[in-house]
Amino acid sequence: MIITQKLALGSVAVSLAVLGVKFYAWQVTGSVALLSDALESIINVATALAAVWALHVSLQPADARHPYGHTKAEYLSAVLEGVLVLCAALAILREAYLAYLAPQPLDTPWLGLGIGAVGSVLNAGWAMVLRRQGRRHRSPALVADGRHLETDVVTSVGVLVGVSLVVLTGKLVLDPAIAALVALNVLWTGWGLMKESVNGLLDEGLPEEELTALKALIAANAEGAIEAHDVKTRCAGKLTFVEFHLVVAGDATVTAAHDICDRLERVLKQAVPDAAVTIHVEPEDKRKHQGIVVL
């Protein structure tokens, strides 16, 4: 089992533990704000399971029906996570509204706050692991899961502070108000996750600065060619597809052109992990005079 799958399974275990802790914090206090925090943890469990599925699918080798592999399954997982986060926000808003209509005093609030803090610490530690490892292994599913947990930590801290104010001031209306703020923050996070993942499904290319660096590598390592043009990239999970046209002299041999292409593929794959490079060789009369001039 590779590291990304282990991390995804670890997310399931951590999410279940945090879910139990937060629901216990709600039970001992009756705080709707702490309930909103627990409801979001249900989504953590669901999205962790979705990430396990997505990573399993994305690691399947290419086949006749999917010649480019299955790496986009991770984007589907991240979109699903965004949808579930939005559903959680709506559920929290409902509970906040009901609590606003009939506010209830809190039971053993300091005990509940202490229990809730334990769950936040667990989430914070695991979110750091997921974000770091997700970027390292270029896994959108792990990065999305880590970002969601980081947001959960921020909202949890806000909830703990808010419930403390309820206890100190005796103003029960603050409890549902805090829950409503949590819901709005969750809505914003869900929208961001969905937007980023949809861009991946729409074949978004490398960021401009990375594309510029890639073109510089082509220019510096295409000795023997004349120019390169129509450079295109698209990202699919951990894979990056790179394709461009390479113009060579009209009298260049197939072997010479092939050697240049081999050298470029080797350099680009070293610079861009898991790159799939496609180079279309063209004769000099196809030169556009506006592409990458070979150094």
Side-chain angles (χ1 to χ4, degrees):
M1 184 180 297
I2 66 172
I3 185 65
T4 52
Q5 289 177 306
K6 292 179 179 179
L7 288 167
L9 289 173
S11 286
V12 175
V14 172
S15 297
L16 286 171
V18 172
L19 175 63
V21 168
K22 290 188 175 182
F23 261 103
Y24 183 54
W26 164 64
Q27 286 185 329
V28 301
T29 61
S31 167
V32 69
L34 290 176
L35 174 61
S36 70
D37 205 17
L39 286 173
E40 190 178 2
S41 292
I42 294 178
I43 304 303
N44 292 349
V45 175
T47 53
L49 290 170
V52 171
W53 168 82
L55 288 168
H56 172 72
V57 173
S58 68
L59 291 171
Q60 301 304 307
D63 54 40
R65 295 192 61 186
H66 306 90
Y68 293 100
H70 302 76
T71 51
K72 283 192 176 182
E74 292 197 50
Y75 291 118
L76 291 176
S77 169
V79 170
L80 174 61
E81 181 168 346
V83 172
L84 292 174
V85 167
L86 296 179
C87 292
L90 295 176
I92 293 169
L93 283 173
R94 176 182 179 277
E95 294 298 327
Y97 177 68
L98 294 176
Y100 174 77
L101 295 177
Q104 300 292 326
L106 306 183
D107 300 321
T108 57
W110 296 116
L111 174 60
L113 288 171
I115 296 170
V118 172
S120 296
V121 171
L122 286 174
N123 265 347
W126 191 246
M128 290 177 61
V129 172
L130 288 179
R131 285 290 295 272
R132 183 171 62 251
Q133 295 297 325
R135 287 192 294 267
R136 179 180 177 184
H137 297 283
R138 305 186 70 196
S139 170
L142 291 181
V143 172
D145 203 11
R147 286 184 58 190
H148 179 209
L149 287 182
E150 285 180 349
T151 302
D152 190 21
V153 172
V154 173
T155 56
S156 295
V157 172
V159 166
L160 295 175
V161 172
V163 174
S164 298
L165 290 176
V166 173
V167 178
L168 295 173
T169 64
K171 295 183 178 180
L172 299 180
V173 72
L174 287 175
D175 192 32
I178 294 163
L181 289 175
V182 169
L184 293 176
N185 186 56
V186 171
L187 279 172
W188 180 255
T189 302
W191 168 250
L193 287 173
M194 292 177 65
K195 180 180 178 181
E196 185 174 320
S197 300
V198 167
N199 285 338
L201 290 172
L202 294 176
D203 288 336
E204 185 177 35
L206 288 173
E208 189 62 34
E209 60 275 12
E210 292 184 30
L211 181 59
T212 300
L214 184 145
K215 290 180 178 179
L217 278 175
I218 295 173
N221 292 276
E223 182 181 355
I226 298 172
E227 75 167 24
H229 57 253
D230 293 339
V231 180
K232 298 178 183 178
T233 65
R234 64 183 178 92
C235 302
K238 67 177 182 177
L239 295 181
T240 300
F241 293 90
V242 181
E243 60 179 82
F244 58 91
H245 294 220
L246 185 71
V247 178
V248 299
D251 58 355
T253 66
V254 173
T255 299
H258 185 268
D259 288 343
I260 299 171
C261 291
D262 276 351
R263 183 169 67 249
L264 285 171
E265 285 185 36
R266 184 168 57 253
V267 170
L268 292 176
K269 287 181 179 181
Q270 288 175 349
V272 183
D274 298 300
V277 183
T278 301
I279 304 173
H280 178 68
V281 177
E282 296 182 327
E284 189 171 358
D285 61 353
K286 297 294 184 179
R287 184 175 183 179
K288 290 190 174 182
H289 301 283
Q290 59 183 10
I292 302 170
V293 177
V294 177
L295 302 178

